[in-house]
Structures are given as C-alpha cells and as structure tokens.
Amino acid sequence: GTHTGSDASLEQQMPLGSVHSTMRGFRPPHRDIIASVPLHGLQSRLTKDIYYFLSSVSSQLRKQDNRRSAAMKRLIKLVTALWPRAQVKPYGSHVSNLCLPSSDLDFVICLPAVHKNAPAEAPGVLEGRNAINETSQKLLARKLKGESWIDPRSIKVIERTVVPVIKFSTKDTRANVLQLDISFDSPEHHGLEAIDMILAVIEEFPMVRPLVLVLKQFLLDRGLLTSYTGGLSSYCLFLMVARYLQEQTTSWGDCGSLLMGFLDFYGNSFDPRATGISVLRRQYFSRVNPAQFAEVHSQHRIDQEMWPPQQNPLQ
C-alpha cells in the first residue's frame, strides 16, 4: 500500500488547473460482481453465509452515499481555500469496491510543484503558505481543527511512515461517523497508480472481493487490520488473496471453499519469513534471494487439496 492501512485507487489523470470535485472515483458499493459467477450447483453453506454478508455490506454502504459525498465536497472546499490549484483525488477501498462500512475514506492531495519545495522563509513567499517552516500536513491539520463538521479530538498526524497521513473522523452520531485518511502526493505514494492493477485483478478473479471483505471483517473484529500497530494492511491482504486465487481453477465459484483453502494455505503451508509473493509475475519467490523466483506452493489448489479424489467435483 501507499501508507498504513491503505488499499489503492484512482480514475484518470485530472486536467491541470482543475479540482476533482465529484464522486466519480467512488464505485457503487452495491455493485455485486460475483452475481454472474457460475457455481455449477455447488454452493456450500459457508458460501451462502458469505453472500448474505456481502448483501448486508452493500446495503450499509448505500446508506452512506450522501454522507461520503458531503464529506468529500467539504474537504475539497477546505483544501482549495489553502491551495487554490490543488487537486483532491479519492483512492483506496471505496474506489476499488473492496470497502466495508467502517473503511476509511482515502484521499491524496496533489499540490502544484511550487508547494513541494522547501518551506517558505517568510510568510507569503509561496502561494497559500501563511506560516514559517510549517509542513503541508501540519498546516492542513491545523485548519481541520477549525472545521465544524470534524471532531477535533480525532485528528492525528502520523509522520513516521513512508507516506505521512492525517487521520480524522466526522462529527456525527456514532453510527454515522466517517473516518478519513488524507495524504499528500509524493514519489513514495503509489495509491493512484495501483488502482488499475487492482481493478484488473478483480475483473479476472471476481472471487477476490468476497474473500477480501470477509477477511477484512475478520481482522477488523480482532484489531488486526492496521499495519502500523502490528496488523495487516488492506493492500497486503488483497495481494495475498489475489496471489492465492491465481493458483486456483478459474471456473471454481464456491467462495466458501476458497476461503477455507486460503486460510489453510497461509496458515499451514506458507512461510512468510522465507517466501514472498508476486501478483504481477504470478509467482512465489525466495526472500533470501529475491531474484530467484520459484514455483513453490504452486500446486496448492482447491481442486487438488480441498476434496478427496473420489469427491472432487471438478474431475
């Protein structure tokens, strides 16, 4: 991911001088990709439970549509008041449609080149800078505290990461609160670039979405969905699921069996200390010697491992 707990996303490049002021980047959360996947009459009880879960998630996300749109418009208004030529672009799970109702809204702020230089030596030297030696993150965080729609107690500036991020939540009833993560574009920020790959993988492997959402909820319930506190980032989880599905028979549509196979593989067979994964190359590789790609674990397939030979429905 690009920073702690991120996924990735984006639309096309915005034209210069414009502001991304619509919700075009957000994909309809209720769009059910897996509905068209043939199951060949083989649906486990776990699969049906997963479908019920996905339906519930979609229903809850639809109820958030207006609040998400309002939060984005308010954020754009605030950012462009500070930096008139800035662009605010959504990315992350709400763009890739891998979001839960509790998922953060991820935004990256793209500043004109002049703002990416060293801080001004005096007030007013650079457009939009009104303080001496104040980073963009701290300036924005200070402005956020004065916004009536934001809970000032929730604002956190996390700087000791590859990509610094500002985290805060909206001021609302507990059930309606939205969490937002704001970062600034930089050479280390790859969230906008990753969305094309993510969407391509989801199109090729529709089972990515149900598995990722169930596993995200599983980790969230146990406080393990935040990487900088010792958990697993959403983007890392996506890569693990995608790499696992690349080894499965493409026509296999029982996500319950796929989920059990995923847990068995990463829990009992895969050694993260010695082996890495590459979704791009569709291979595993040795972490001791990353240049040496190997076909290790490549035979861990649902049709071979999950069913006894006489019961294998794919034979």
Side-chain angles (χ1 to χ4, degrees):
T2 58
H3 59 76
T4 54
S6 70
D7 298 342
S9 81
L10 186 64
E11 282 273 315
Q12 299 294 326
Q13 285 285 344
M14 292 294 295
L16 292 177
S18 69
V19 176
H20 193 80
S21 58
T22 71
M23 295 295 286
R24 287 188 301 167
F26 289 102
R27 295 180 176 271
H30 49 81
R31 176 182 163 204
D32 195 351
I33 303 176
I34 64 175
S36 59
V37 176
L39 295 178
H40 306 296
L42 296 170
Q43 272 192 318
S44 66
R45 179 175 178 180
L46 178 57
T47 294
K48 294 179 180 178
D49 288 343
I50 291 174
Y51 287 169
Y52 286 132
F53 169 73
L54 294 179
S55 177
S56 175
V57 167
S58 296
S59 176
Q60 294 178 64
L61 287 171
R62 279 194 295 268
K63 295 177 182 178
Q64 294 180 351
D65 284 346
N66 291 337
R67 295 198 300 276
R68 286 198 302 269
S69 178
M72 183 174 183
K73 291 178 181 178
R74 287 168 172 169
L75 178 63
I76 290 174
K77 182 178 179 181
L78 172 62
V79 170
T80 53
L82 289 172
W83 304 287
R85 291 187 293 155
Q87 297 177 8
V88 180
K89 300 180 181 181
Y91 74 103
S93 60
H94 282 274
V95 177
S96 60
N97 201 26
L98 295 176
C99 55
L100 295 172
S102 58
S103 294
D104 297 339
L105 295 170
D106 296 306
F107 296 97
V108 58
I109 298 175
C110 302
L111 297 176
V114 65
H115 296 297
K116 298 179 181 179
N117 299 325
E121 297 180 358
V125 172
L126 296 178
E127 175 193 358
R129 302 306 293 265
N130 59 359
I132 299 176
N133 295 331
E134 185 174 33
T135 67
S136 299
Q137 287 87 358
K138 291 182 179 179
L139 173 59
L140 179 59
R142 183 164 60 83
K143 292 297 183 181
L144 289 171
K145 292 181 180 179
E147 292 292 303
S148 60
W149 59 283
I150 294 174
D151 181 359
R153 300 169 299 178
S154 68
I155 300 175
K156 296 180 182 178
V157 180
I158 302 175
E159 297 181 291
R160 296 183 179 180
T161 58
V162 176
V163 177
V165 60
I166 302 174
K167 303 177 72 72
F168 63 91
S169 59
T170 58
K171 187 183 295 183
D172 208 330
T173 60
R174 184 173 182 178
N176 294 330
V177 166
L178 297 176
Q179 309 289 333
L180 285 79
D181 283 5
I182 312 299
S183 54
F184 285 82
D185 191 28
S186 69
E188 295 78 23
H189 198 302
H190 302 293
L192 300 181
E193 302 169 11
I195 186 59
D196 289 337
M197 181 272 288
I198 291 175
L199 296 178
V201 169
I202 293 175
E203 183 175 0
E204 182 177 1
F205 302 102
M207 289 294 110
V208 164
R209 183 171 181 263
L211 265 61
V212 166
L213 291 184
V214 169
L215 290 165
K216 284 180 73 170
Q217 187 66 56
F218 179 85
L219 293 173
L220 179 66
D221 291 343
R222 288 154 181 80
L224 296 173
L225 195 56
T226 306
S227 59
Y228 69 87
T229 58
L232 194 66
S233 74
S234 297
Y235 187 64
C236 180
L237 178 62
F238 162 79
L239 295 175
M240 292 172 65
V241 171
R243 181 68 198 102
Y244 176 76
L245 291 179
Q246 286 175 338
E247 295 293 335
Q248 310 309 315
T249 303
T250 56
S251 62
W252 188 249
D254 189 81
C255 55
S257 294
L258 288 169
L259 175 61
M260 296 303 295
F262 173 92
L263 295 173
D264 176 57
F265 172 56
Y266 283 108
N268 298 320
S269 301
F270 185 80
D271 183 359
R273 296 166 297 182
T275 308
I277 62 176
S278 173
V279 173
L280 178 63
R281 300 192 185 188
R282 298 176 181 242
Q283 288 181 304
Y284 299 95
F285 62 89
S286 169
R287 295 187 65 180
V288 178
N289 183 12
Q292 181 182 356
F293 277 75
E295 288 298 330
V296 61
H297 305 309
S298 64
Q299 297 305 311
H300 192 93
R301 302 172 184 269
I302 284 293
D303 54 334
Q304 296 175 353
E305 300 290 339
M306 291 300 294
W307 301 82
Q310 68 275 17
Q311 297 179 11
N312 191 335
L314 299 181
Q315 292 181 342

